[in-house]
Amino acid sequence: MAVASKRIPVPELVPVKRALLSVSDKTGLVDFARALADRGVSLVSTGGTRAALADAGLAVSDISEVTGFPEIMDGRVKTLHPNVHGGLLAIRDDADHAAAMREHGIEGFDLVCVNLYPFEETVASGADFATAIENIDIGGPAMTRAAAKNHAYVTMISDPADYAGVIDAMDHNEGQVPQELRKRLAQKAFARTAAYDAAVSNWFATAIGEPAPAHVAMGGQLSSVMRYGENPHQQAAFYTTPERRNGVATARQVQGKALSYNNINDTDAAFELVSEFDPAASAAVAIIKHANPCGVAVGDTLRAAYESALACDPVSAFGGIVALNRPLDADAATEIVKIFTEVIIAPDASEEAIRIVAAKKNLRLLLTGGLADPRAGGRIVKSVAGGLLVQDRDTGIVDDLDLKVVTRRQPSDQELADLKFAFRVAKHVKSNAIVYVKDGATAGIGAGQMSRIDSARIAAQKAQDAADTAGWDAPRTHGSAVASDAFFPFADGLLAAAKAGATAVIQPGGSMRDQEVIDAADEAGLAMVFTGMRHFRH
């Protein structure tokens, strides 16, 4: 049942006379507390926060002086007390509340500064279950929510980045904080506790192996506000989650314009793809346009891999994203900057490469510090009208699969290597996906078509276009291996691939017409391998 409002007018300005400070992140704490004290604010604090302030020479009361009770149970219980929460929640202009405060000796808090135990960081460090549990904050969220609820009278600060703004507001309002700022800080505080609880609940579900919790929450921290979303009439922002996965969210932007919504989406797709390739085995480059690869290749060097990837579809590569699985070197950088590129993302870069890229001032260079682990689990979330679709990340790796040759002809060693390469790339191509590969480089890619045979034809046409542009005698689909992200429902798609020149095929299998497709492959002299795993990507 809803609680009726007493409809007491909210003060426009509220003076700050007494503050409660209890923080895990002590960034800027002493300077902020000193600024409050200099403005006549009395300070109350807890545990380590109180010790830090006292060591800095500030007069500060211990929370136990307020509660009349010591901190107990290893600090689990210290602020959960009526003298604290009464001081946070009391409606100062309500006669009954004021009488209760007088009767019970409760003094109000005008400002609360709380940030929470570092649960997300603790989990990210690989802490065990018991340690993670101990880093679930209880008193902090309770005080945060209480103060934010009572923002009519209390200024709630949950982020050290807001210290300066509060002091500035007090200086411009004779020690008082305006209602507008109190509301903005309250909203931010509620968002923080929501994200914190989401991190705890999602970790807990994973820890106990619960695949579909009764409730799911998603939380993130604002990283940047975009000028617009996919289109200029849409607003957008980028939030980072507690997940520690190398990629666009962890990257340091060395130079270039701010990333757009589409930049981030495409760059994520590019880096996830290139992370499939072991840098110790070979250099790898993926060129992405509109979240689909237009060229992927491996080579002895990044430059060689880039040149092979670019040859697959040089027209589409214009204005694309380039992802590398090794640190960007000068040789590769020199080649990449020859055409217009939106973003380069790599684990690192040499100083010389950074100087070369710097000549293109609008080109974004992102350095992630490492590759994403393609075998690491995680959750993928997609919004639909009125709900969320949540699934595990696709961690299927072709090298881990039990491949089955289903045709009379066995693939050659080179064909098998190219088949695996093609299937690895197909995992990152929008369905229906067809990928031709020859000698460790994509020769043609068909993506996102409603019919699989159309994807096969488009990929072959792309290969022919590339051959015409380069002046080759024949497209590189001749003698290629081809991958399909899902089974061929009819033999027509496979025959289209054979017509394009493919000599070997890799696909999941599992169609009612598998035998028909196998027979067609045998008749065409193709080698065909079943993976038993599908890689739809919508």
Side-chain angles (χ1 to χ4, degrees), residues 493-526:
L494 178 134
L495 293 175
K499 184 178 179 181
T503 60
V505 181
I506 188 168
Q507 58 138 318
S511 168
M512 292 187 297
R513 295 184 176 86
D514 272 351
Q515 191 57 53
E516 175 186 326
V517 176
I518 293 169
D519 291 343
D522 280 333
E523 186 175 345
L526 302 176

Side-chain angles (χ1 to χ4, degrees), residues 43-104:
L43 308 177
V44 178
S45 193
T46 63
T49 305
R50 190 204 63 79
L53 298 179
D55 289 345
L58 291 167
V60 55
S61 299
D62 190 275
I63 195 69
S64 62
E65 298 175 37
V66 175
T67 63
F69 209 89
E71 295 185 17
I72 60 172
M73 301 177 182
D74 299 319
R76 282 190 170 200
V77 179
K78 53 190 172 187
T79 59
L80 299 171
H81 193 280
N83 283 355
V84 174
H85 286 272
L88 299 176
L89 287 164
I91 300 174
R92 313 298 165 78
D93 297 320
D94 180 272
D96 291 339
H97 286 210
M101 292 178 76
R102 289 192 300 271
E103 179 183 354
H104 298 289

Side-chain angles (χ1 to χ4, degrees), residues 199-233:
V200 172
S201 63
N202 291 334
W203 164 81
F204 216 129
T206 300
I208 66 173
E210 175 54 70
H215 299 275
V216 66
M218 302 297 162
Q221 182 173 353
L222 181 65
S223 175
S224 58
V225 176
M226 277 74 192
R227 286 191 299 138
Y228 52 82
E230 284 184 289
N231 301 290
H233 63 278

Side-chain angles (χ1 to χ4, degrees), residues 395-416:
T395 58
I397 305 295
V398 67
D399 291 335
D400 299 339
L401 303 180
D402 183 16
L403 303 182
K404 180 182 179 182
V405 179
V406 295
T407 49
R408 290 194 292 268
R409 185 170 82 77
Q410 297 278 325
S412 68
D413 290 346
Q414 183 60 56
E415 284 176 326
L416 184 59

Side-chain angles (χ1 to χ4, degrees), residues 282-306:
S282 61
V285 172
I287 305 172
I288 298 290
K289 194 72 169 290
H290 300 308
N292 273 308
C294 49
V296 186
V298 293
D300 292 334
T301 66
L302 286 174
R303 178 169 182 162
Y306 173 75

Side-chain angles (χ1 to χ4, degrees), residues 62-319:
D62 190 275
I63 195 69
S64 62
E65 298 175 37
V66 175
T67 63
F69 209 89
E71 295 185 17
I72 60 172
M73 301 177 182
D74 299 319
R76 282 190 170 200
V77 179
K78 53 190 172 187
T79 59
L80 299 171
H81 193 280
N83 283 355
V84 174
H85 286 272
L88 299 176
L89 287 164
I91 300 174
R92 313 298 165 78
D93 297 320
D94 180 272
D96 291 339
H97 286 210
M101 292 178 76
R102 289 192 300 271
E103 179 183 354
H104 298 289
I106 297 173
E107 187 177 353
F109 291 105
D110 310 306
L111 181 146
V112 178
C113 179
V114 173
N115 54 61
L116 311 178
Y117 291 173
F119 176 81
E120 297 99 330
E121 292 83 353
T122 300
V123 170
S125 72
D128 59 26
F129 187 87
T131 302
I133 290 293
E134 283 308 308
N135 277 275
I136 298 175
D137 203 333
I138 302 300
M143 289 190 293
T144 298
R145 288 174 58 81
K149 175 175 180 174
N150 203 28
H151 62 269
Y153 301 94
V154 183
T155 299
M156 174 61 227
I157 305 174
S158 58
D159 184 349
D162 293 315
Y163 292 165
V166 170
I167 295 299
D168 184 64
M170 290 173 65
D171 286 345
H172 281 85
N173 294 282
E174 298 179 343
Q176 303 175 100
V177 179
Q179 178 186 154
E180 180 184 358
L181 178 56
R182 299 196 308 273
K183 285 182 176 179
R184 285 195 290 108
L185 292 173
Q187 184 279 324
K188 187 173 185 177
F190 280 124
R192 175 63 187 121
T193 57
Y196 191 81
D197 284 341
V200 172
S201 63
N202 291 334
W203 164 81
F204 216 129
T206 300
I208 66 173
E210 175 54 70
H215 299 275
V216 66
M218 302 297 162
Q221 182 173 353
L222 181 65
S223 175
S224 58
V225 176
M226 277 74 192
R227 286 191 299 138
Y228 52 82
E230 284 184 289
N231 301 290
H233 63 278
Q234 295 172 271
Q235 294 183 337
F238 179 45
Y239 292 83
T240 57
T241 69
E243 182 183 31
R244 294 296 185 265
R245 184 177 180 86
N246 288 327
V248 65
T250 66
R252 173 175 67 95
Q253 184 168 349
V254 176
Q255 70 154 64
K257 297 186 295 184
L259 292 163
S260 71
Y261 180 99
N262 293 330
N263 288 153
I264 289 177
N265 187 57
D266 293 351
T267 302
D268 176 69
F271 198 68
E272 287 289 322
L273 194 166
V274 86
S275 291
E276 297 269 358
F277 296 92
D278 181 2
S282 61
V285 172
I287 305 172
I288 298 290
K289 194 72 169 290
H290 300 308
N292 273 308
C294 49
V296 186
V298 293
D300 292 334
T301 66
L302 286 174
R303 178 169 182 162
Y306 173 75
E307 290 173 337
S308 294
L310 182 64
C312 179
D313 189 354
V315 174
S316 296
F318 185 84

